[in-house]
Amino acid sequence: GQSLEQPSEVTAVEGAIVQINCTYQTSGFYGLSWYQQHDGGAPTFLSYNALDGLEETGRFSSFLSRSDSYGYLLLQELQMKDSASYFCAVRGRNTGFQKLVFGTGTRLLVSP
Amino acid sequence: GAVVSQHPSWVICKSGTSVKIECRSLDFQATTMFWYRQFPKQSLMLMATSNEGSKATYEQGVEKDKFLINHASLTLSTLTVTSAHPEDSSFYICSARESENIQYFGAGTRLSVL
């Protein structure tokens, strides 16, 4: 099957930089996605990596190393509104290309 | 970005009743939609994959007779929780795949069974 591991909680202060790691196990890897979810809200798409390297989108960047089955989400210039849960998610061949399986989630707490 | 509408956002029902949740893709056609369940402070657990015009594919451990899924059109999938019980109380979220890499999520439905 598929499994993804993330730290359960990360804390940081406004203006800081934080990195949320994700390690995964899957057969036939297609890509790693990142989603943000505020309490009581829907997950929103942040980024997607299919190939090794860094993808940058504004204050957020995502990195992937397929050989290490590892990725991370980098959040820069943290703002209070970034306090949320962040999930990595993968698609794998063993469960069918269509399905997106989520990691355990990392709760980010940004303090003043 | 694309919008997925989920309705209702919150429902309270008596034990033994059935509840229907609708999921619509508003500005794109979705041949594939997904239904997730999320308990407080936990991850999203995939329940089933809904394919337009065919039967849904359920994940292991999910009762297909308990959670009925219908995907009658390219923009609408429904989840019916039949004979709901308190243990079915949860946050249910639908998602529609717009492209190979991107899924958009509905706002979720909080179900409370008394």
Side-chain angles (χ1 to χ4, degrees):
Chain A
Q2 295 169 317
S3 67
L4 301 95
E5 291 193 8
Q6 305 175 232
S8 59
E9 190 172 288
V10 174
T11 59
V13 297
E14 271 188 304
I17 299 173
V18 73
Q19 179 174 311
I20 299 174
N21 299 319
C22 173
T23 57
Y24 61 86
Q25 283 188 317
T26 186
S27 299
F29 173 81
Y30 284 107
L32 184 71
S33 303
W34 287 93
Y35 285 81
Q36 178 193 61
Q37 186 183 31
H38 287 96
D39 286 345
T44 55
F45 173 79
L46 292 177
S47 69
Y48 175 78
N49 295 69
L51 302 176
D52 290 352
L54 192 68
E55 294 282 341
E56 298 182 66
T57 309
R59 294 189 296 116
F60 294 178
S61 302
S62 58
F63 171 82
L64 174 66
S65 169
R66 289 175 297 169
S67 60
D68 296 322
S69 297
Y70 164 76
Y72 66 73
L73 180 69
L74 190 73
L75 298 86
Q76 302 182 72
E77 300 173 21
L78 280 175
Q79 303 174 10
M80 295 293 289
K81 67 178 182 179
D82 296 329
S83 292
S85 291
Y86 293 84
F87 296 91
C88 59
V90 294
R91 297 185 196 280
R93 187 195 318 125
N94 63 330
T95 58
F97 161 72
Q98 301 184 102
K99 295 193 294 187
L100 195 63
V101 176
F102 283 79
T104 51
T106 299
R107 194 168 183 83
L108 172 63
L109 301 172
V110 181
S111 57
Chain B
V3 178
V4 173
S5 172
Q6 187 172 341
H7 177 82
S9 58
W10 191 27
V11 59
I12 301 174
C13 69
K14 292 182 179 179
S15 185
T17 61
S18 294
V19 174
K20 180 184 281 189
I21 303 170
E22 293 188 349
C23 180
R24 295 178 186 273
S25 56
L26 297 185
D27 52 3
F28 66 97
Q29 293 183 328
T31 55
T32 305
M33 292 186 177
F34 305 89
W35 288 94
Y36 293 83
R37 183 174 181 175
Q38 186 178 35
F39 291 105
K41 300 189 187 304
Q42 293 189 22
S43 186
L44 287 80
M45 299 303 297
L46 181 64
M47 298 174 65
T49 302
S50 170
N51 297 298
E52 187 267 336
S54 64
K55 290 183 179 180
T57 303
Y58 290 81
E59 294 300 301
Q60 193 171 14
V62 178
E63 300 175 59
K64 61 180 181 181
D65 295 329
K66 173 76 170 176
F67 300 99
L68 300 179
I69 291 172
N70 183 278
H71 194 153
S73 77
L74 287 171
T75 59
L76 174 64
S77 176
T78 61
L79 168 69
T80 301
V81 183
T82 62
S83 186
H85 291 285
E87 58 266 28
D88 299 322
S89 298
S90 188
F91 191 49
Y92 293 88
I93 309 175
C94 74
S95 176
R97 187 156 69 96
E98 186 210 38
S99 65
E100 179 177 317
N101 305 330
I102 298 177
Q103 279 180 222
Y104 292 101
F105 286 79
T109 297
R110 191 160 302 282
L111 171 63
S112 295
V113 184
L114 305 178

